[in-house]
Amino acid sequence: MTLGRRAFAHAAAAAAAGALVFRPSNWFPDATVLAQSVALKDIVPKGWLIGAAVNQNQSDGRDGVAVDLITRQFNTISPENALKFQSVHPEPDRFTFDAADRYVAFGRDRGMAVIGHNLVWHSQTPRWAWDGADGALADRATMLARMRTHIATVVGRYKGKIHGWDVVNEALNDDGTLRDSPWRRGIGDDYIAQAFTFAHEADPNVELYYNDFNLATRPAKRAGAIRIVKDLQQRGLRIDAVGEQGHWRLNTPAAGDIDQTIAELRQTGVKVMITELDVNLLPQTGPRVAGQPPSPESNPYANGLPDDMQQALAGYYADAFRVLLKHRDDITRVTFWGVSDADSWLNRGRMNYPLLWDRQRQPKPAFDAVVRVLTAK
Ligand code: G3I
């Protein structure tokens, strides 16, 4: 496998920094050795943030191998769960910031851009946030007050320490209409604008994002996201970027769809981020029966990923990154949703292979492919 001269130069620079000892036997290192020596954060376009979502074993420092990988490879982190509403605000008068504080310190200790995910979502939010009397939904004023307290407290705590917040997460249906979230039912369609207002009040300097999935595969949903951005802009509110989560499947979205998505979102004037990138290799199946093992058809790579699939994954990542590079000035951040295949939420009882590092935390052909794209002339 041949790698570009720039990759080689980066490897040499890394070696000079002590990351890789050049001996005659590895003077022409194979792709894996070379890949281990290259850090994504050193080869992305100037100004890009590149990162991963970290889980609590990682941000608490218990998973040392992953911690080393994160430290070496990335210049930004996102919290997989630590900053969600239910994690930090389980009861009306009780905030639980221990794990979140360690997450923020983990990133700041390493000089990383620390991302906040997320403030307002229909999921991983405790019932009390929405409950009114007798099982009914709370009224608008009550729900707005709860939202404002939550945002003011959480954003305020990390003022100046968090680089940007996913203010509202997944507010859209696939057809572009607003999702019937309890926040929307209680407050009205302007709950999105209210959340952005509260976040800006709490930290006027922090970046504010709208984050959702399927924007690249569903043009109608993408149009909905664009309507949200324009509505915020018309109200004079701050919005810095839209996050397309990037929970993609092999060859879906196609490179052309990614290209078009970035171009269309960018026309609003805000930047674009890929915020939760992974590539699902497993067939779509219905829900598993609790307590039952997955069927062999739903779990085809239980004993390992065949080489042709490794190569297909590498090819898809390469195509995707070529498009992202084409839009280097439109994009501010690319974040993988997890570090290695062992950490991914996409396993859920099956064996999935969506990321750039394998279960042993070794770089996969997909990593080499991304490095090649990022270092090609
Ligand atoms: O922490 C508990 C643990 O105490 C308990 O024993 C265990 C039993 O199920 O559950 C643990 O909580 C799980 C939590 O992840 C931490 O591992 C929850 O069940 C599980 O539902 C939760 O899943 C998270 C999911 O969001 C929830 O919707 C995933 O880790 C996380 O990767 C995923 O992330 C979301 C983004 O926030 C938004 N976009 C989609 C993305 C993928 O679903």
Side-chain angles (χ1 to χ4, degrees):
M1 200 176 291
T2 29
L3 284 148
R5 275 171 43 216
R6 255 183 82 198
F8 191 81
H10 281 293
L20 174 71
V21 178
F22 267 48
R23 293 185 296 267
S25 61
N26 68 7
W27 180 246
F28 294 106
D30 66 23
T32 303
V33 174
L34 190 54
Q36 279 168 333
S37 72
V38 174
L40 295 178
K41 67 183 179 186
D42 295 336
I43 59 174
V44 290
K46 198 167 171 344
W48 269 27
L49 295 173
I50 181 108
V54 299
N55 62 35
Q56 208 179 316
N57 275 332
Q58 294 159 354
S59 49
D60 282 356
R62 285 190 294 274
D63 184 350
V65 178
V67 168
D68 289 348
L69 196 52
I70 294 161
T71 306
R72 167 135 184 75
Q73 289 290 331
F74 299 121
N75 57 19
T76 179
I77 50 169
S78 295
E80 189 173 6
N81 289 296
L83 272 168
K84 289 173 179 172
F85 201 129
Q86 73 177 17
S87 305
V88 296
H89 197 177
E91 293 169 32
D93 299 318
R94 190 164 69 92
F95 287 87
T96 44
F97 283 122
D98 288 0
D101 285 354
R102 291 194 294 273
Y103 159 77
V104 173
F106 180 100
R108 288 180 59 77
D109 288 349
R110 291 165 175 76
M112 296 168 155
V114 178
I115 302 303
H117 170 85
N118 58 62
L119 296 169
V120 173
W121 192 22
H122 63 275
S123 177
Q124 288 184 286
T125 302
R127 291 282 336 166
W128 70 258
W130 305 313
D131 278 351
D134 304 323
L137 217 54
D139 60 39
R140 172 179 164 94
T142 304
M143 217 185 272
L144 270 177
R146 289 173 184 166
M147 181 196 271
R148 187 179 199 168
T149 300
H150 176 75
I151 292 177
T153 308
V154 180
V155 175
R157 183 177 186 88
Y158 301 115
K159 187 176 177 180
K161 296 181 176 171
I162 281 193
H163 175 85
W165 276 100
D166 290 336
V167 179
V168 176
N169 198 42
E170 303 174 3
L172 291 162
N173 296 310
D174 274 355
D175 66 1
T177 57
L178 286 181
R179 185 193 286 270
D180 192 27
S181 144
W183 289 117
R184 177 178 175 229
R185 271 185 276 139
I187 295 172
D189 288 359
D190 70 332
Y191 85 94
I192 299 173
Q194 297 284 352
F196 276 80
T197 303
F198 298 152
H200 188 58
E201 266 172 20
D203 184 352
N205 296 318
V206 76
E207 291 192 356
L208 305 180
Y209 316 129
Y210 175 70
N211 191 52
D212 213 330
F213 59 92
N214 280 355
L215 302 183
T217 45
R218 310 280 178 162
K221 189 167 188 178
R222 183 155 78 232
I226 290 168
R227 279 194 295 276
I228 288 176
V229 173
K230 288 186 170 162
D231 177 66
L232 294 170
Q233 290 170 330
Q234 274 159 15
R235 293 169 187 262
L237 297 174
R238 176 170 185 163
I239 173 163
D240 294 275
V242 171
E244 150 61 12
Q245 293 183 359
H247 293 298
W248 294 338
R249 307 184 71 84
L250 197 56
N251 301 328
T252 309
D257 298 325
I258 301 171
D259 188 11
Q260 192 169 345
T261 300
I262 298 168
E264 286 182 18
L265 291 172
R266 188 71 183 102
Q267 275 171 11
T268 61
V270 301
K271 296 281 188 170
V272 179
M273 310 176 302
I274 309 299
T275 52
E276 305 184 13
L277 181 56
D278 48 27
V279 178
N280 190 345
L281 295 181
L282 295 184
Q284 276 169 307
T285 56
R288 271 178 65 201
V289 183
Q292 296 289 313
S295 67
E297 312 80 68
S298 73
N299 194 22
Y301 311 122
N303 299 316
L305 192 66
D307 191 55
D308 60 333
M309 288 301 291
Q310 288 280 14
Q311 297 308 327
L313 180 71
Y316 183 65
Y317 264 113
D319 289 347
F321 268 82
R322 263 184 226 107
V323 174
L324 301 185
L325 269 192
K326 175 183 165 193
H327 290 279
R328 65 180 67 216
D329 297 330
D330 304 320
I331 286 176
T332 51
R333 172 163 65 90
V334 178
T335 297
F336 296 90
W337 204 245
V339 179
S340 80
D341 290 342
D343 312 310
S344 172
W345 72 289
L346 287 171
N347 289 305
R348 289 182 293 188
R350 298 187 286 171
M351 290 283 272
N352 215 331
Y353 303 82
L355 295 165
L356 301 189
W357 285 270
D358 68 18
R359 286 177 165 70
Q360 285 69 46
R361 275 57 183 278
Q362 296 301 307
K364 294 159 60 177
F367 176 88
D368 297 338
V370 169
V371 168
R372 271 200 300 279
V373 170
L374 289 173
T375 53
K377 287 282 179 201

